[in-house]
Amino acid sequence: MAKQTHRIGILGSGNIFGRYVTGLARHPELEIVRVADIDVARAKQAAADHSIPAWGDDTELYADESVDIVVNLTPPVHHARTTIAALEAGKHVYVEKPLATTVEEGRAVLEAAARSGRVLGSAPDTFLGSASQTARKAIDDGLIGTPVGASAFISHSKAETWHPDPRFLFQEGGGPVMDMGPYYFAILVNLLGPIRTVTGSSRIGAERRTVTAPGRAVDSIDVTVPTHAAAVLTFASGAIATMQMSFDIWDTDLPYMEIYGTGGTLSLANPNHFDGEVRLKRHGDTEWSVLEPVVGLFGAVGTKEQARRGLGVRDLADAVEGSPHRATGPFAFHVLEAMCAVEEASTQTRVVALDSTCDRPAPRFSV
């Protein structure tokens, strides 16, 4: 059956904009009809560069009756306000990660979605990709026995060397927990279920960052958020995960993520990518084996395709059409609360019990 056409308006034409345009092009039924930005000249240029018929500011996007889905790519500190405005304008909304920068703002977004009757989706959506789905099936099939624990390691992307304006990474709404953490937390929840408690510790490493990226907007940044954090997550299932998240680790040989069970171990590729190797070693095996992907690849591994985005927008469009929704608002809120709990646990020196929970998303593979 042919997919229904959905008309997309993208809010924000910054660094990640092109990745969404490229990713959404894989789904011609997701038609980008408008781009908006607080910098209208930038929106106009983005529209011209990508043959998008309409451009303007956010108010014009909200008022455009031809747009039924807004893809919100604004900086994180603006996510809550702009998502609520789009929902109140009657649009379905898919917002980049994180859902908001505080638990209170996140709740306000969920309440706005409930009032509007519109569908709310949120990044991260990489757990919908072949790597996380393959690991999910391995766990569901009992290939590692009962999951007991997990470890996850986030090191620095060296954004100062390639991003023209990385200030947002080191100020309110940024830091490794809020920037890269969503990918890891989301995949862990997809694999192990909702989180019950969080404890952790965090600090600022280098207090000033020198920016060397070509075409940079600034030469240095004063850091105002923690850039190195360690956390322990206890899941409702009883599994325990340890996480290290840092913009102060420039080089490491640590794995991205491993899941440990009573019968074996899974090793996953970069959670910031949809695809990549999932390796399995069961007790008694002499070698690791690479599992066959259980769903199709979103992008060719080891190429620039790994950077493109948009699978979560297709997930939201499917939900509008009545199919199961996986990258939901409540899922993203649970991830947000867990991330915020890391800093709360650090500043208050305690274990934080989460108020929220969420459904473990339905798998994409056939069961």
Side-chain angles (χ1 to χ4, degrees), residues 77-116:
V77 293
H78 302 301
H79 282 180
R81 173 183 60 82
T82 52
T83 296
I84 290 171
L87 289 166
E88 291 178 342
K91 313 299 186 187
H92 306 292
V93 180
Y94 181 84
V95 58
E96 246 302 326
K97 54 81 186 169
L99 178 69
T101 57
T102 68
V103 171
E104 293 73 23
E105 285 187 342
R107 287 197 184 99
V109 172
L110 293 188
E111 290 166 359
R115 289 194 306 270
S116 71

PDB file of all heavy atoms in Angstrom, residues 77-116:
ATOM      1  N   VAL A  77      17.902  24.731  24.035  1.00  0.00           N
ATOM      2  CA  VAL A  77      17.261  25.640  24.987  1.00  0.00           C
ATOM      3  C   VAL A  77      15.947  26.178  24.461  1.00  0.00           C
ATOM      4  O   VAL A  77      15.132  26.708  25.238  1.00  0.00           O
ATOM      5  CB  VAL A  77      18.196  26.813  25.366  1.00  0.00           C
ATOM      6  CG1 VAL A  77      19.389  26.312  26.166  1.00  0.00           C
ATOM      7  CG2 VAL A  77      18.647  27.588  24.126  1.00  0.00           C
ATOM      8  N   HIS A  78      15.687  26.067  23.158  1.00  0.00           N
ATOM      9  CA  HIS A  78      14.441  26.550  22.565  1.00  0.00           C
ATOM     10  C   HIS A  78      13.447  25.423  22.275  1.00  0.00           C
ATOM     11  O   HIS A  78      12.344  25.695  21.789  1.00  0.00           O
ATOM     12  CB  HIS A  78      14.737  27.308  21.275  1.00  0.00           C
ATOM     13  CG  HIS A  78      15.648  28.481  21.443  1.00  0.00           C
ATOM     14  ND1 HIS A  78      15.359  29.533  22.280  1.00  0.00           N
ATOM     15  CD2 HIS A  78      16.855  28.761  20.890  1.00  0.00           C
ATOM     16  CE1 HIS A  78      16.340  30.422  22.240  1.00  0.00           C
ATOM     17  NE2 HIS A  78      17.266  29.969  21.408  1.00  0.00           N
ATOM     18  N   HIS A  79      13.825  24.176  22.536  1.00  0.00           N
ATOM     19  CA  HIS A  79      12.973  23.051  22.145  1.00  0.00           C
ATOM     20  C   HIS A  79      11.580  23.116  22.756  1.00  0.00           C
ATOM     21  O   HIS A  79      10.570  22.954  22.060  1.00  0.00           O
ATOM     22  CB  HIS A  79      13.629  21.720  22.532  1.00  0.00           C
ATOM     23  CG  HIS A  79      14.716  21.302  21.599  1.00  0.00           C
ATOM     24  ND1 HIS A  79      15.443  20.149  21.756  1.00  0.00           N
ATOM     25  CD2 HIS A  79      15.215  21.890  20.477  1.00  0.00           C
ATOM     26  CE1 HIS A  79      16.334  20.045  20.790  1.00  0.00           C
ATOM     27  NE2 HIS A  79      16.219  21.095  20.001  1.00  0.00           N
ATOM     28  N   ALA A  80      11.503  23.340  24.055  1.00  0.00           N
ATOM     29  CA  ALA A  80      10.193  23.308  24.724  1.00  0.00           C
ATOM     30  C   ALA A  80       9.277  24.394  24.172  1.00  0.00           C
ATOM     31  O   ALA A  80       8.125  24.130  23.777  1.00  0.00           O
ATOM     32  CB  ALA A  80      10.369  23.450  26.234  1.00  0.00           C
ATOM     33  N   ARG A  81       9.756  25.621  24.141  1.00  0.00           N
ATOM     34  CA  ARG A  81       8.923  26.754  23.711  1.00  0.00           C
ATOM     35  C   ARG A  81       8.433  26.574  22.275  1.00  0.00           C
ATOM     36  O   ARG A  81       7.238  26.752  21.993  1.00  0.00           O
ATOM     37  CB  ARG A  81       9.725  28.052  23.839  1.00  0.00           C
ATOM     38  CG  ARG A  81       9.021  29.275  23.275  1.00  0.00           C
ATOM     39  CD  ARG A  81       9.894  30.512  23.378  1.00  0.00           C
ATOM     40  NE  ARG A  81      11.141  30.379  22.657  1.00  0.00           N
ATOM     41  CZ  ARG A  81      11.259  30.573  21.335  1.00  0.00           C
ATOM     42  NH1 ARG A  81      10.191  30.871  20.610  1.00  0.00           N
ATOM     43  NH2 ARG A  81      12.446  30.461  20.749  1.00  0.00           N
ATOM     44  N   THR A  82       9.322  26.224  21.381  1.00  0.00           N
ATOM     45  CA  THR A  82       8.948  26.123  19.975  1.00  0.00           C
ATOM     46  C   THR A  82       8.089  24.888  19.696  1.00  0.00           C
ATOM     47  O   THR A  82       7.185  24.931  18.853  1.00  0.00           O
ATOM     48  CB  THR A  82      10.200  26.115  19.089  1.00  0.00           C
ATOM     49  OG1 THR A  82      11.113  25.115  19.566  1.00  0.00           O
ATOM     50  CG2 THR A  82      10.888  27.465  19.106  1.00  0.00           C
ATOM     51  N   THR A  83       8.347  23.807  20.393  1.00  0.00           N
ATOM     52  CA  THR A  83       7.512  22.607  20.217  1.00  0.00           C
ATOM     53  C   THR A  83       6.090  22.865  20.695  1.00  0.00           C
ATOM     54  O   THR A  83       5.114  22.495  20.022  1.00  0.00           O
ATOM     55  CB  THR A  83       8.123  21.415  20.975  1.00  0.00           C
ATOM     56  OG1 THR A  83       9.398  21.100  20.413  1.00  0.00           O
ATOM     57  CG2 THR A  83       7.221  20.185  20.879  1.00  0.00           C
ATOM     58  N   ILE A  84       5.961  23.525  21.841  1.00  0.00           N
ATOM     59  CA  ILE A  84       4.627  23.856  22.347  1.00  0.00           C
ATOM     60  C   ILE A  84       3.899  24.771  21.371  1.00  0.00           C
ATOM     61  O   ILE A  84       2.708  24.581  21.084  1.00  0.00           O
ATOM     62  CB  ILE A  84       4.730  24.491  23.747  1.00  0.00           C
ATOM     63  CG1 ILE A  84       5.163  23.438  24.765  1.00  0.00           C
ATOM     64  CG2 ILE A  84       3.397  25.123  24.167  1.00  0.00           C
ATOM     65  CD1 ILE A  84       5.511  23.999  26.132  1.00  0.00           C
ATOM     66  N   ALA A  85       4.604  25.769  20.824  1.00  0.00           N
ATOM     67  CA  ALA A  85       3.975  26.681  19.866  1.00  0.00           C
ATOM     68  C   ALA A  85       3.486  25.931  18.630  1.00  0.00           C
ATOM     69  O   ALA A  85       2.383  26.196  18.122  1.00  0.00           O
ATOM     70  CB  ALA A  85       4.968  27.775  19.461  1.00  0.00           C
ATOM     71  N   ALA A  86       4.278  24.994  18.141  1.00  0.00           N
ATOM     72  CA  ALA A  86       3.877  24.233  16.953  1.00  0.00           C
ATOM     73  C   ALA A  86       2.690  23.328  17.249  1.00  0.00           C
ATOM     74  O   ALA A  86       1.764  23.207  16.433  1.00  0.00           O
ATOM     75  CB  ALA A  86       5.058  23.421  16.435  1.00  0.00           C
ATOM     76  N   LEU A  87       2.699  22.684  18.402  1.00  0.00           N
ATOM     77  CA  LEU A  87       1.565  21.842  18.794  1.00  0.00           C
ATOM     78  C   LEU A  87       0.288  22.674  18.911  1.00  0.00           C
ATOM     79  O   LEU A  87      -0.787  22.262  18.450  1.00  0.00           O
ATOM     80  CB  LEU A  87       1.857  21.150  20.129  1.00  0.00           C
ATOM     81  CG  LEU A  87       2.908  20.042  20.107  1.00  0.00           C
ATOM     82  CD1 LEU A  87       3.342  19.701  21.530  1.00  0.00           C
ATOM     83  CD2 LEU A  87       2.370  18.793  19.399  1.00  0.00           C
ATOM     84  N   GLU A  88       0.407  23.838  19.525  1.00  0.00           N
ATOM     85  CA  GLU A  88      -0.766  24.701  19.698  1.00  0.00           C
ATOM     86  C   GLU A  88      -1.267  25.244  18.370  1.00  0.00           C
ATOM     87  O   GLU A  88      -2.433  25.643  18.265  1.00  0.00           O
ATOM     88  CB  GLU A  88      -0.434  25.838  20.661  1.00  0.00           C
ATOM     89  CG  GLU A  88      -0.246  25.346  22.108  1.00  0.00           C
ATOM     90  CD  GLU A  88       0.139  26.443  23.073  1.00  0.00           C
ATOM     91  OE1 GLU A  88       0.600  27.521  22.606  1.00  0.00           O
ATOM     92  OE2 GLU A  88       0.003  26.236  24.301  1.00  0.00           O
ATOM     93  N   ALA A  89      -0.398  25.258  17.371  1.00  0.00           N
ATOM     94  CA  ALA A  89      -0.812  25.666  16.023  1.00  0.00           C
ATOM     95  C   ALA A  89      -1.450  24.518  15.245  1.00  0.00           C
ATOM     96  O   ALA A  89      -1.810  24.678  14.072  1.00  0.00           O
ATOM     97  CB  ALA A  89       0.389  26.217  15.257  1.00  0.00           C
ATOM     98  N   GLY A  90      -1.563  23.356  15.889  1.00  0.00           N
ATOM     99  CA  GLY A  90      -2.227  22.217  15.259  1.00  0.00           C
ATOM    100  C   GLY A  90      -1.324  21.313  14.459  1.00  0.00           C
ATOM    101  O   GLY A  90      -1.818  20.481  13.680  1.00  0.00           O
ATOM    102  N   LYS A  91      -0.010  21.429  14.663  1.00  0.00           N
ATOM    103  CA  LYS A  91       0.921  20.589  13.917  1.00  0.00           C
ATOM    104  C   LYS A  91       1.327  19.366  14.732  1.00  0.00           C
ATOM    105  O   LYS A  91       1.442  19.423  15.954  1.00  0.00           O
ATOM    106  CB  LYS A  91       2.200  21.381  13.579  1.00  0.00           C
ATOM    107  CG  LYS A  91       1.975  22.774  13.012  1.00  0.00           C
ATOM    108  CD  LYS A  91       1.206  22.772  11.711  1.00  0.00           C
ATOM    109  CE  LYS A  91       1.153  24.186  11.134  1.00  0.00           C
ATOM    110  NZ  LYS A  91       0.265  24.254   9.933  1.00  0.00           N
ATOM    111  N   HIS A  92       1.550  18.254  14.049  1.00  0.00           N
ATOM    112  CA  HIS A  92       2.309  17.164  14.651  1.00  0.00           C
ATOM    113  C   HIS A  92       3.765  17.628  14.716  1.00  0.00           C
ATOM    114  O   HIS A  92       4.219  18.365  13.841  1.00  0.00           O
ATOM    115  CB  HIS A  92       2.202  15.893  13.819  1.00  0.00           C
ATOM    116  CG  HIS A  92       0.799  15.464  13.528  1.00  0.00           C
ATOM    117  ND1 HIS A  92      -0.058  15.004  14.502  1.00  0.00           N
ATOM    118  CD2 HIS A  92       0.091  15.423  12.356  1.00  0.00           C
ATOM    119  CE1 HIS A  92      -1.220  14.692  13.957  1.00  0.00           C
ATOM    120  NE2 HIS A  92      -1.153  14.936  12.663  1.00  0.00           N
ATOM    121  N   VAL A  93       4.493  17.192  15.741  1.00  0.00           N
ATOM    122  CA  VAL A  93       5.855  17.703  15.913  1.00  0.00           C
ATOM    123  C   VAL A  93       6.828  16.570  16.185  1.00  0.00           C
ATOM    124  O   VAL A  93       6.578  15.710  17.040  1.00  0.00           O
ATOM    125  CB  VAL A  93       5.940  18.721  17.069  1.00  0.00           C
ATOM    126  CG1 VAL A  93       7.377  19.243  17.211  1.00  0.00           C
ATOM    127  CG2 VAL A  93       4.990  19.882  16.842  1.00  0.00           C
ATOM    128  N   TYR A  94       7.946  16.618  15.469  1.00  0.00           N
ATOM    129  CA  TYR A  94       9.102  15.787  15.781  1.00  0.00           C
ATOM    130  C   TYR A  94      10.227  16.737  16.154  1.00  0.00           C
ATOM    131  O   TYR A  94      10.612  17.601  15.358  1.00  0.00           O
ATOM    132  CB  TYR A  94       9.519  14.927  14.586  1.00  0.00           C
ATOM    133  CG  TYR A  94      10.703  14.048  14.893  1.00  0.00           C
ATOM    134  CD1 TYR A  94      10.520  12.809  15.513  1.00  0.00           C
ATOM    135  CD2 TYR A  94      12.001  14.458  14.599  1.00  0.00           C
ATOM    136  CE1 TYR A  94      11.591  12.005  15.821  1.00  0.00           C
ATOM    137  CE2 TYR A  94      13.083  13.646  14.905  1.00  0.00           C
ATOM    138  CZ  TYR A  94      12.875  12.435  15.515  1.00  0.00           C
ATOM    139  OH  TYR A  94      13.947  11.643  15.834  1.00  0.00           O
ATOM    140  N   VAL A  95      10.756  16.604  17.372  1.00  0.00           N
ATOM    141  CA  VAL A  95      11.768  17.524  17.865  1.00  0.00           C
ATOM    142  C   VAL A  95      13.092  16.800  18.054  1.00  0.00           C
ATOM    143  O   VAL A  95      13.127  15.654  18.502  1.00  0.00           O
ATOM    144  CB  VAL A  95      11.310  18.203  19.181  1.00  0.00           C
ATOM    145  CG1 VAL A  95      11.002  17.177  20.269  1.00  0.00           C
ATOM    146  CG2 VAL A  95      12.343  19.218  19.674  1.00  0.00           C
ATOM    147  N   GLU A  96      14.173  17.493  17.701  1.00  0.00           N
ATOM    148  CA  GLU A  96      15.499  16.932  17.924  1.00  0.00           C
ATOM    149  C   GLU A  96      15.726  16.732  19.429  1.00  0.00           C
ATOM    150  O   GLU A  96      15.035  17.301  20.270  1.00  0.00           O
ATOM    151  CB  GLU A  96      16.581  17.853  17.336  1.00  0.00           C
ATOM    152  CG  GLU A  96      17.345  17.247  16.167  1.00  0.00           C
ATOM    153  CD  GLU A  96      18.048  15.947  16.491  1.00  0.00           C
ATOM    154  OE1 GLU A  96      18.528  15.769  17.625  1.00  0.00           O
ATOM    155  OE2 GLU A  96      18.128  15.093  15.603  1.00  0.00           O
ATOM    156  N   LYS A  97      16.723  15.928  19.752  1.00  0.00           N
ATOM    157  CA  LYS A  97      17.031  15.669  21.148  1.00  0.00           C
ATOM    158  C   LYS A  97      17.769  16.853  21.771  1.00  0.00           C
ATOM    159  O   LYS A  97      18.436  17.610  21.046  1.00  0.00           O
ATOM    160  CB  LYS A  97      17.838  14.369  21.287  1.00  0.00           C
ATOM    161  CG  LYS A  97      19.112  14.308  20.435  1.00  0.00           C
ATOM    162  CD  LYS A  97      20.268  15.038  21.062  1.00  0.00           C
ATOM    163  CE  LYS A  97      21.461  15.091  20.165  1.00  0.00           C
ATOM    164  NZ  LYS A  97      22.513  16.012  20.656  1.00  0.00           N
ATOM    165  N   PRO A  98      17.624  17.024  23.095  1.00  0.00           N
ATOM    166  CA  PRO A  98      16.665  16.356  23.964  1.00  0.00           C
ATOM    167  C   PRO A  98      15.279  16.991  23.827  1.00  0.00           C
ATOM    168  O   PRO A  98      15.143  18.079  23.267  1.00  0.00           O
ATOM    169  CB  PRO A  98      17.245  16.606  25.366  1.00  0.00           C
ATOM    170  CG  PRO A  98      17.918  17.937  25.242  1.00  0.00           C
ATOM    171  CD  PRO A  98      18.484  17.959  23.837  1.00  0.00           C
ATOM    172  N   LEU A  99      14.267  16.308  24.358  1.00  0.00           N
ATOM    173  CA  LEU A  99      12.899  16.822  24.297  1.00  0.00           C
ATOM    174  C   LEU A  99      12.824  18.240  24.849  1.00  0.00           C
ATOM    175  O   LEU A  99      12.121  19.100  24.312  1.00  0.00           O
ATOM    176  CB  LEU A  99      11.984  15.894  25.099  1.00  0.00           C
ATOM    177  CG  LEU A  99      10.511  16.287  25.199  1.00  0.00           C
ATOM    178  CD1 LEU A  99       9.834  16.147  23.845  1.00  0.00           C
ATOM    179  CD2 LEU A  99       9.798  15.414  26.241  1.00  0.00           C
ATOM    180  N   ALA A 100      13.518  18.498  25.938  1.00  0.00           N
ATOM    181  CA  ALA A 100      13.632  19.811  26.570  1.00  0.00           C
ATOM    182  C   ALA A 100      14.924  19.777  27.375  1.00  0.00           C
ATOM    183  O   ALA A 100      15.633  18.761  27.383  1.00  0.00           O
ATOM    184  CB  ALA A 100      12.422  20.095  27.453  1.00  0.00           C
ATOM    185  N   THR A 101      15.230  20.862  28.080  1.00  0.00           N
ATOM    186  CA  THR A 101      16.467  20.875  28.856  1.00  0.00           C
ATOM    187  C   THR A 101      16.226  20.707  30.350  1.00  0.00           C
ATOM    188  O   THR A 101      17.188  20.557  31.102  1.00  0.00           O
ATOM    189  CB  THR A 101      17.259  22.172  28.622  1.00  0.00           C
ATOM    190  OG1 THR A 101      16.438  23.294  28.956  1.00  0.00           O
ATOM    191  CG2 THR A 101      17.707  22.265  27.168  1.00  0.00           C
ATOM    192  N   THR A 102      14.959  20.722  30.787  1.00  0.00           N
ATOM    193  CA  THR A 102      14.626  20.467  32.181  1.00  0.00           C
ATOM    194  C   THR A 102      13.417  19.546  32.247  1.00  0.00           C
ATOM    195  O   THR A 102      12.620  19.470  31.299  1.00  0.00           O
ATOM    196  CB  THR A 102      14.299  21.760  32.956  1.00  0.00           C
ATOM    197  OG1 THR A 102      13.060  22.308  32.470  1.00  0.00           O
ATOM    198  CG2 THR A 102      15.412  22.788  32.808  1.00  0.00           C
ATOM    199  N   VAL A 103      13.269  18.879  33.375  1.00  0.00           N
ATOM    200  CA  VAL A 103      12.121  17.992  33.569  1.00  0.00           C
ATOM    201  C   VAL A 103      10.823  18.795  33.535  1.00  0.00           C
ATOM    202  O   VAL A 103       9.818  18.356  32.951  1.00  0.00           O
ATOM    203  CB  VAL A 103      12.263  17.225  34.899  1.00  0.00           C
ATOM    204  CG1 VAL A 103      10.988  16.469  35.231  1.00  0.00           C
ATOM    205  CG2 VAL A 103      13.443  16.260  34.824  1.00  0.00           C
ATOM    206  N   GLU A 104      10.842  19.970  34.142  1.00  0.00           N
ATOM    207  CA  GLU A 104       9.630  20.800  34.178  1.00  0.00           C
ATOM    208  C   GLU A 104       9.197  21.195  32.769  1.00  0.00           C
ATOM    209  O   GLU A 104       8.002  21.133  32.433  1.00  0.00           O
ATOM    210  CB  GLU A 104       9.879  22.046  35.033  1.00  0.00           C
ATOM    211  CG  GLU A 104      10.079  21.789  36.521  1.00  0.00           C
ATOM    212  CD  GLU A 104      11.428  21.156  36.842  1.00  0.00           C
ATOM    213  OE1 GLU A 104      12.382  21.306  36.020  1.00  0.00           O
ATOM    214  OE2 GLU A 104      11.535  20.498  37.901  1.00  0.00           O
ATOM    215  N   GLU A 105      10.151  21.602  31.938  1.00  0.00           N
ATOM    216  CA  GLU A 105       9.821  21.946  30.555  1.00  0.00           C
ATOM    217  C   GLU A 105       9.341  20.725  29.785  1.00  0.00           C
ATOM    218  O   GLU A 105       8.429  20.814  28.961  1.00  0.00           O
ATOM    219  CB  GLU A 105      11.037  22.553  29.860  1.00  0.00           C
ATOM    220  CG  GLU A 105      11.348  23.980  30.256  1.00  0.00           C
ATOM    221  CD  GLU A 105      12.455  24.574  29.419  1.00  0.00           C
ATOM    222  OE1 GLU A 105      13.205  23.806  28.772  1.00  0.00           O
ATOM    223  OE2 GLU A 105      12.583  25.811  29.404  1.00  0.00           O
ATOM    224  N   GLY A 106       9.953  19.577  30.053  1.00  0.00           N
ATOM    225  CA  GLY A 106       9.530  18.355  29.384  1.00  0.00           C
ATOM    226  C   GLY A 106       8.089  18.003  29.701  1.00  0.00           C
ATOM    227  O   GLY A 106       7.323  17.599  28.808  1.00  0.00           O
ATOM    228  N   ARG A 107       7.710  18.168  30.960  1.00  0.00           N
ATOM    229  CA  ARG A 107       6.309  17.897  31.333  1.00  0.00           C
ATOM    230  C   ARG A 107       5.366  18.848  30.609  1.00  0.00           C
ATOM    231  O   ARG A 107       4.281  18.452  30.159  1.00  0.00           O
ATOM    232  CB  ARG A 107       6.132  18.034  32.847  1.00  0.00           C
ATOM    233  CG  ARG A 107       6.733  16.909  33.657  1.00  0.00           C
ATOM    234  CD  ARG A 107       6.163  16.901  35.071  1.00  0.00           C
ATOM    235  NE  ARG A 107       6.807  15.878  35.882  1.00  0.00           N
ATOM    236  CZ  ARG A 107       7.793  16.102  36.738  1.00  0.00           C
ATOM    237  NH1 ARG A 107       8.262  17.340  36.887  1.00  0.00           N
ATOM    238  NH2 ARG A 107       8.332  15.125  37.442  1.00  0.00           N
ATOM    239  N   ALA A 108       5.784  20.110  30.492  1.00  0.00           N
ATOM    240  CA  ALA A 108       4.946  21.091  29.811  1.00  0.00           C
ATOM    241  C   ALA A 108       4.740  20.711  28.344  1.00  0.00           C
ATOM    242  O   ALA A 108       3.647  20.897  27.787  1.00  0.00           O
ATOM    243  CB  ALA A 108       5.569  22.483  29.918  1.00  0.00           C
ATOM    244  N   VAL A 109       5.775  20.170  27.710  1.00  0.00           N
ATOM    245  CA  VAL A 109       5.655  19.727  26.321  1.00  0.00           C
ATOM    246  C   VAL A 109       4.660  18.573  26.210  1.00  0.00           C
ATOM    247  O   VAL A 109       3.794  18.561  25.329  1.00  0.00           O
ATOM    248  CB  VAL A 109       7.032  19.327  25.756  1.00  0.00           C
ATOM    249  CG1 VAL A 109       6.873  18.684  24.376  1.00  0.00           C
ATOM    250  CG2 VAL A 109       7.955  20.533  25.669  1.00  0.00           C
ATOM    251  N   LEU A 110       4.757  17.588  27.118  1.00  0.00           N
ATOM    252  CA  LEU A 110       3.819  16.462  27.090  1.00  0.00           C
ATOM    253  C   LEU A 110       2.390  16.936  27.308  1.00  0.00           C
ATOM    254  O   LEU A 110       1.448  16.443  26.664  1.00  0.00           O
ATOM    255  CB  LEU A 110       4.194  15.427  28.155  1.00  0.00           C
ATOM    256  CG  LEU A 110       5.506  14.664  27.976  1.00  0.00           C
ATOM    257  CD1 LEU A 110       5.600  13.543  29.013  1.00  0.00           C
ATOM    258  CD2 LEU A 110       5.654  14.087  26.575  1.00  0.00           C
ATOM    259  N   GLU A 111       2.212  17.874  28.228  1.00  0.00           N
ATOM    260  CA  GLU A 111       0.863  18.395  28.493  1.00  0.00           C
ATOM    261  C   GLU A 111       0.312  19.122  27.275  1.00  0.00           C
ATOM    262  O   GLU A 111      -0.877  18.997  26.947  1.00  0.00           O
ATOM    263  CB  GLU A 111       0.908  19.325  29.707  1.00  0.00           C
ATOM    264  CG  GLU A 111       1.169  18.597  31.020  1.00  0.00           C
ATOM    265  CD  GLU A 111       1.537  19.527  32.156  1.00  0.00           C
ATOM    266  OE1 GLU A 111       1.606  20.763  31.920  1.00  0.00           O
ATOM    267  OE2 GLU A 111       1.765  19.033  33.282  1.00  0.00           O
ATOM    268  N   ALA A 112       1.161  19.873  26.579  1.00  0.00           N
ATOM    269  CA  ALA A 112       0.721  20.568  25.367  1.00  0.00           C
ATOM    270  C   ALA A 112       0.317  19.576  24.286  1.00  0.00           C
ATOM    271  O   ALA A 112      -0.673  19.787  23.570  1.00  0.00           O
ATOM    272  CB  ALA A 112       1.829  21.494  24.862  1.00  0.00           C
ATOM    273  N   ALA A 113       1.066  18.491  24.160  1.00  0.00           N
ATOM    274  CA  ALA A 113       0.716  17.465  23.171  1.00  0.00           C
ATOM    275  C   ALA A 113      -0.624  16.825  23.500  1.00  0.00           C
ATOM    276  O   ALA A 113      -1.449  16.596  22.611  1.00  0.00           O
ATOM    277  CB  ALA A 113       1.815  16.405  23.113  1.00  0.00           C
ATOM    278  N   ALA A 114      -0.849  16.554  24.777  1.00  0.00           N
ATOM    279  CA  ALA A 114      -2.122  15.948  25.190  1.00  0.00           C
ATOM    280  C   ALA A 114      -3.290  16.888  24.904  1.00  0.00           C
ATOM    281  O   ALA A 114      -4.351  16.449  24.429  1.00  0.00           O
ATOM    282  CB  ALA A 114      -2.063  15.593  26.670  1.00  0.00           C
ATOM    283  N   ARG A 115      -3.108  18.179  25.169  1.00  0.00           N
ATOM    284  CA  ARG A 115      -4.177  19.153  24.914  1.00  0.00           C
ATOM    285  C   ARG A 115      -4.467  19.282  23.425  1.00  0.00           C
ATOM    286  O   ARG A 115      -5.618  19.432  23.011  1.00  0.00           O
ATOM    287  CB  ARG A 115      -3.788  20.531  25.459  1.00  0.00           C
ATOM    288  CG  ARG A 115      -3.787  20.654  26.967  1.00  0.00           C
ATOM    289  CD  ARG A 115      -3.723  22.123  27.382  1.00  0.00           C
ATOM    290  NE  ARG A 115      -2.598  22.846  26.785  1.00  0.00           N
ATOM    291  CZ  ARG A 115      -1.396  22.941  27.346  1.00  0.00           C
ATOM    292  NH1 ARG A 115      -1.171  22.349  28.515  1.00  0.00           N
ATOM    293  NH2 ARG A 115      -0.437  23.632  26.739  1.00  0.00           N
ATOM    294  N   SER A 116      -3.417  19.250  22.620  1.00  0.00           N
ATOM    295  CA  SER A 116      -3.570  19.500  21.184  1.00  0.00           C
ATOM    296  C   SER A 116      -4.165  18.321  20.427  1.00  0.00           C
ATOM    297  O   SER A 116      -4.749  18.494  19.362  1.00  0.00           O
ATOM    298  CB  SER A 116      -2.213  19.849  20.573  1.00  0.00           C
ATOM    299  OG  SER A 116      -1.370  18.698  20.528  1.00  0.00           O
TER     300      SER A 116
END
